Amino acid sequence: MIPIHDDVPSSRFPFVTLGIIVANAGAFAFELLLTERQLQRFFYQFAVQPYEYFLYFSPYNQGRIELSDLIIPLFTSMFLHGGWFHFLGNMLYLWIFGDNVEDRMGHIKYLVFYLLCGLTASGAHIVSDPTSHIPSLGASGAIAGVLGAYICLYPHARVLVLVPIFILLYTFEVPAWVFLGIWILQNLASGIATLSVETAQSGGTAWWAHIGGFVTGLTLVWLFARRIPPRQIPYYEAYIPWDD
């Protein structure tokens, strides 16, 4: 299922969501200018390589890996992508679901929330595949956190999805909790399946980064989202009682 749009209006312009999309687009445009060799070196420098985080604290490091080599990729990897499908898919999800989460959190809180989800997503991937030398990159983990927040805040929102069936394309409206529930279950099933193989990044996808980001979004939304008075809650939103 490919989401097209939702039916939740925003009361403020999503400056942060749009800014993140522009930053990702700029980084991706830069990647397109590089040769294959340059791009490979770029990824190895600015994407997350799980083995480095364990090697750093081992006696075998001997200064080969510095602390900056671990910290910088945690942030830069969130803005890099491995191809057009990877980039466009992530930006589509961010644009559809990010504006409403930003609306409920406010611009600054939303930016902090987004970065925290991306960091914990990378952490989940590092722990799930500690010996991997494969650079892990993409905004998927951070966006998964946005999806986790969305399913809590707007469980009954209607999401228009495009579903390819054989050679035909159909559109359906489904509740957000159904669409995002299927999304996380698919990721969870893929993540569990990778535990039985040598690498946790099966098929080039860091499934546990998605799961880690989603769980972080489910958890942190309670701290970042503002409350709406019960009488003002539209059908698609969930009441947040913890702020009474």
PDB file of all heavy atoms in Angstrom, residues 8 11 14-15 22-23 25 51 58 101 132 134 150 163 168 180 190 203:
ATOM      1  N   VAL A   8      -6.383  14.804   7.661  1.00  0.00           N
ATOM      2  CA  VAL A   8      -6.180  15.630   8.852  1.00  0.00           C
ATOM      3  C   VAL A   8      -5.628  16.994   8.442  1.00  0.00           C
ATOM      4  O   VAL A   8      -4.517  17.086   7.908  1.00  0.00           O
ATOM      5  CB  VAL A   8      -5.205  14.961   9.837  1.00  0.00           C
ATOM      6  CG1 VAL A   8      -5.048  15.825  11.086  1.00  0.00           C
ATOM      7  CG2 VAL A   8      -5.687  13.570  10.207  1.00  0.00           C
ATOM      8  N   SER A  11      -3.109  23.198  11.398  1.00  0.00           N
ATOM      9  CA  SER A  11      -3.440  24.571  11.775  1.00  0.00           C
ATOM     10  C   SER A  11      -2.249  25.507  11.621  1.00  0.00           C
ATOM     11  O   SER A  11      -2.389  26.708  11.794  1.00  0.00           O
ATOM     12  CB  SER A  11      -3.932  24.613  13.230  1.00  0.00           C
ATOM     13  OG  SER A  11      -2.911  24.169  14.118  1.00  0.00           O
ATOM     14  N   PRO A  14       3.926  23.590   8.125  1.00  0.00           N
ATOM     15  CA  PRO A  14       4.952  22.652   8.622  1.00  0.00           C
ATOM     16  C   PRO A  14       6.368  23.059   8.206  1.00  0.00           C
ATOM     17  O   PRO A  14       7.015  22.390   7.389  1.00  0.00           O
ATOM     18  CB  PRO A  14       4.530  21.322   7.985  1.00  0.00           C
ATOM     19  CG  PRO A  14       3.894  21.722   6.696  1.00  0.00           C
ATOM     20  CD  PRO A  14       3.169  23.013   6.987  1.00  0.00           C
ATOM     21  N   PHE A  15       6.882  24.125   8.791  1.00  0.00           N
ATOM     22  CA  PHE A  15       8.201  24.625   8.422  1.00  0.00           C
ATOM     23  C   PHE A  15       9.293  23.564   8.618  1.00  0.00           C
ATOM     24  O   PHE A  15      10.180  23.406   7.779  1.00  0.00           O
ATOM     25  CB  PHE A  15       8.543  25.866   9.253  1.00  0.00           C
ATOM     26  CG  PHE A  15       7.741  27.072   8.915  1.00  0.00           C
ATOM     27  CD1 PHE A  15       6.736  27.516   9.757  1.00  0.00           C
ATOM     28  CD2 PHE A  15       7.973  27.776   7.740  1.00  0.00           C
ATOM     29  CE1 PHE A  15       5.976  28.634   9.444  1.00  0.00           C
ATOM     30  CE2 PHE A  15       7.225  28.901   7.414  1.00  0.00           C
ATOM     31  CZ  PHE A  15       6.226  29.330   8.270  1.00  0.00           C
ATOM     32  N   VAL A  22      13.679  19.437   2.374  1.00  0.00           N
ATOM     33  CA  VAL A  22      14.624  20.208   1.561  1.00  0.00           C
ATOM     34  C   VAL A  22      16.060  19.781   1.863  1.00  0.00           C
ATOM     35  O   VAL A  22      16.887  19.632   0.947  1.00  0.00           O
ATOM     36  CB  VAL A  22      14.447  21.720   1.811  1.00  0.00           C
ATOM     37  CG1 VAL A  22      15.571  22.509   1.157  1.00  0.00           C
ATOM     38  CG2 VAL A  22      13.093  22.181   1.277  1.00  0.00           C
ATOM     39  N   ALA A  23      16.382  19.578   3.135  1.00  0.00           N
ATOM     40  CA  ALA A  23      17.730  19.151   3.516  1.00  0.00           C
ATOM     41  C   ALA A  23      18.050  17.780   2.923  1.00  0.00           C
ATOM     42  O   ALA A  23      19.161  17.539   2.424  1.00  0.00           O
ATOM     43  CB  ALA A  23      17.854  19.119   5.034  1.00  0.00           C
ATOM     44  N   ALA A  25      16.648  16.506   0.244  1.00  0.00           N
ATOM     45  CA  ALA A  25      16.736  16.679  -1.210  1.00  0.00           C
ATOM     46  C   ALA A  25      18.081  17.257  -1.600  1.00  0.00           C
ATOM     47  O   ALA A  25      18.693  16.845  -2.600  1.00  0.00           O
ATOM     48  CB  ALA A  25      15.603  17.583  -1.698  1.00  0.00           C
ATOM     49  N   TYR A  51      29.929  -1.805  13.347  1.00  0.00           N
ATOM     50  CA  TYR A  51      31.108  -2.398  13.972  1.00  0.00           C
ATOM     51  C   TYR A  51      32.007  -1.352  14.619  1.00  0.00           C
ATOM     52  O   TYR A  51      32.703  -1.637  15.615  1.00  0.00           O
ATOM     53  CB  TYR A  51      31.903  -3.207  12.933  1.00  0.00           C
ATOM     54  CG  TYR A  51      32.890  -2.400  12.135  1.00  0.00           C
ATOM     55  CD1 TYR A  51      34.223  -2.342  12.504  1.00  0.00           C
ATOM     56  CD2 TYR A  51      32.484  -1.659  11.021  1.00  0.00           C
ATOM     57  CE1 TYR A  51      35.142  -1.584  11.775  1.00  0.00           C
ATOM     58  CE2 TYR A  51      33.368  -0.899  10.302  1.00  0.00           C
ATOM     59  CZ  TYR A  51      34.695  -0.868  10.678  1.00  0.00           C
ATOM     60  OH  TYR A  51      35.609  -0.107   9.962  1.00  0.00           O
ATOM     61  N   SER A  58      37.004  -1.240  22.239  1.00  0.00           N
ATOM     62  CA  SER A  58      37.818  -2.444  22.383  1.00  0.00           C
ATOM     63  C   SER A  58      39.303  -2.081  22.414  1.00  0.00           C
ATOM     64  O   SER A  58      39.706  -1.011  21.956  1.00  0.00           O
ATOM     65  CB  SER A  58      37.549  -3.405  21.220  1.00  0.00           C
ATOM     66  OG  SER A  58      38.197  -2.955  20.040  1.00  0.00           O
ATOM     67  N   VAL A 101       1.965  15.751  12.908  1.00  0.00           N
ATOM     68  CA  VAL A 101       2.700  15.552  14.153  1.00  0.00           C
ATOM     69  C   VAL A 101       3.383  16.855  14.571  1.00  0.00           C
ATOM     70  O   VAL A 101       3.376  17.228  15.746  1.00  0.00           O
ATOM     71  CB  VAL A 101       3.738  14.417  14.006  1.00  0.00           C
ATOM     72  CG1 VAL A 101       4.560  14.259  15.282  1.00  0.00           C
ATOM     73  CG2 VAL A 101       3.041  13.099  13.676  1.00  0.00           C
ATOM     74  N   SER A 132      28.401  -5.502  11.557  1.00  0.00           N
ATOM     75  CA  SER A 132      28.207  -5.076  10.174  1.00  0.00           C
ATOM     76  C   SER A 132      29.164  -3.956   9.774  1.00  0.00           C
ATOM     77  O   SER A 132      29.345  -2.971  10.502  1.00  0.00           O
ATOM     78  CB  SER A 132      26.770  -4.593   9.974  1.00  0.00           C
ATOM     79  OG  SER A 132      26.580  -4.081   8.668  1.00  0.00           O
ATOM     80  N   ILE A 134      28.581  -2.640   6.719  1.00  0.00           N
ATOM     81  CA  ILE A 134      27.776  -2.011   5.674  1.00  0.00           C
ATOM     82  C   ILE A 134      27.266  -0.660   6.163  1.00  0.00           C
ATOM     83  O   ILE A 134      26.626  -0.585   7.222  1.00  0.00           O
ATOM     84  CB  ILE A 134      26.586  -2.897   5.283  1.00  0.00           C
ATOM     85  CG1 ILE A 134      27.071  -4.266   4.803  1.00  0.00           C
ATOM     86  CG2 ILE A 134      25.740  -2.225   4.208  1.00  0.00           C
ATOM     87  CD1 ILE A 134      25.952  -5.251   4.541  1.00  0.00           C
ATOM     88  N   TYR A 150       2.138   9.489  15.070  1.00  0.00           N
ATOM     89  CA  TYR A 150       0.897   9.707  14.320  1.00  0.00           C
ATOM     90  C   TYR A 150      -0.171   8.698  14.721  1.00  0.00           C
ATOM     91  O   TYR A 150      -1.336   9.070  14.904  1.00  0.00           O
ATOM     92  CB  TYR A 150       1.178   9.615  12.826  1.00  0.00           C
ATOM     93  CG  TYR A 150       0.033  10.065  11.949  1.00  0.00           C
ATOM     94  CD1 TYR A 150       0.017  11.341  11.401  1.00  0.00           C
ATOM     95  CD2 TYR A 150      -1.038   9.220  11.657  1.00  0.00           C
ATOM     96  CE1 TYR A 150      -1.029  11.765  10.588  1.00  0.00           C
ATOM     97  CE2 TYR A 150      -2.085   9.625  10.860  1.00  0.00           C
ATOM     98  CZ  TYR A 150      -2.080  10.903  10.324  1.00  0.00           C
ATOM     99  OH  TYR A 150      -3.121  11.309   9.531  1.00  0.00           O
ATOM    100  N   VAL A 163      -3.182   0.851  -4.059  1.00  0.00           N
ATOM    101  CA  VAL A 163      -2.883  -0.581  -3.936  1.00  0.00           C
ATOM    102  C   VAL A 163      -2.787  -1.203  -5.325  1.00  0.00           C
ATOM    103  O   VAL A 163      -3.784  -1.262  -6.049  1.00  0.00           O
ATOM    104  CB  VAL A 163      -3.959  -1.311  -3.116  1.00  0.00           C
ATOM    105  CG1 VAL A 163      -3.607  -2.795  -2.970  1.00  0.00           C
ATOM    106  CG2 VAL A 163      -4.131  -0.661  -1.749  1.00  0.00           C
ATOM    107  N   LEU A 168      -3.435  -3.679 -12.271  1.00  0.00           N
ATOM    108  CA  LEU A 168      -4.361  -2.580 -12.018  1.00  0.00           C
ATOM    109  C   LEU A 168      -4.016  -1.865 -10.722  1.00  0.00           C
ATOM    110  O   LEU A 168      -3.420  -2.452  -9.813  1.00  0.00           O
ATOM    111  CB  LEU A 168      -5.799  -3.103 -11.967  1.00  0.00           C
ATOM    112  CG  LEU A 168      -6.299  -3.816 -13.226  1.00  0.00           C
ATOM    113  CD1 LEU A 168      -7.717  -4.337 -13.014  1.00  0.00           C
ATOM    114  CD2 LEU A 168      -6.257  -2.874 -14.430  1.00  0.00           C
ATOM    115  N   LEU A 180      -0.916   2.024   9.463  1.00  0.00           N
ATOM    116  CA  LEU A 180       0.361   2.037  10.183  1.00  0.00           C
ATOM    117  C   LEU A 180       0.559   0.764  10.991  1.00  0.00           C
ATOM    118  O   LEU A 180       1.699   0.344  11.216  1.00  0.00           O
ATOM    119  CB  LEU A 180       0.429   3.266  11.087  1.00  0.00           C
ATOM    120  CG  LEU A 180       0.409   4.608  10.339  1.00  0.00           C
ATOM    121  CD1 LEU A 180       0.411   5.775  11.309  1.00  0.00           C
ATOM    122  CD2 LEU A 180       1.609   4.706   9.390  1.00  0.00           C
ATOM    123  N   SER A 190       9.826  -8.784   9.254  1.00  0.00           N
ATOM    124  CA  SER A 190      11.098  -8.789   8.517  1.00  0.00           C
ATOM    125  C   SER A 190      12.274  -8.710   9.468  1.00  0.00           C
ATOM    126  O   SER A 190      13.302  -9.368   9.263  1.00  0.00           O
ATOM    127  CB  SER A 190      11.129  -7.610   7.534  1.00  0.00           C
ATOM    128  OG  SER A 190      10.094  -7.711   6.574  1.00  0.00           O
ATOM    129  N   GLY A 203      18.412  -7.517   2.566  1.00  0.00           N
ATOM    130  CA  GLY A 203      17.862  -6.831   1.424  1.00  0.00           C
ATOM    131  C   GLY A 203      18.172  -5.351   1.395  1.00  0.00           C
ATOM    132  O   GLY A 203      17.515  -4.586   0.704  1.00  0.00           O
TER     133      GLY A 203
END
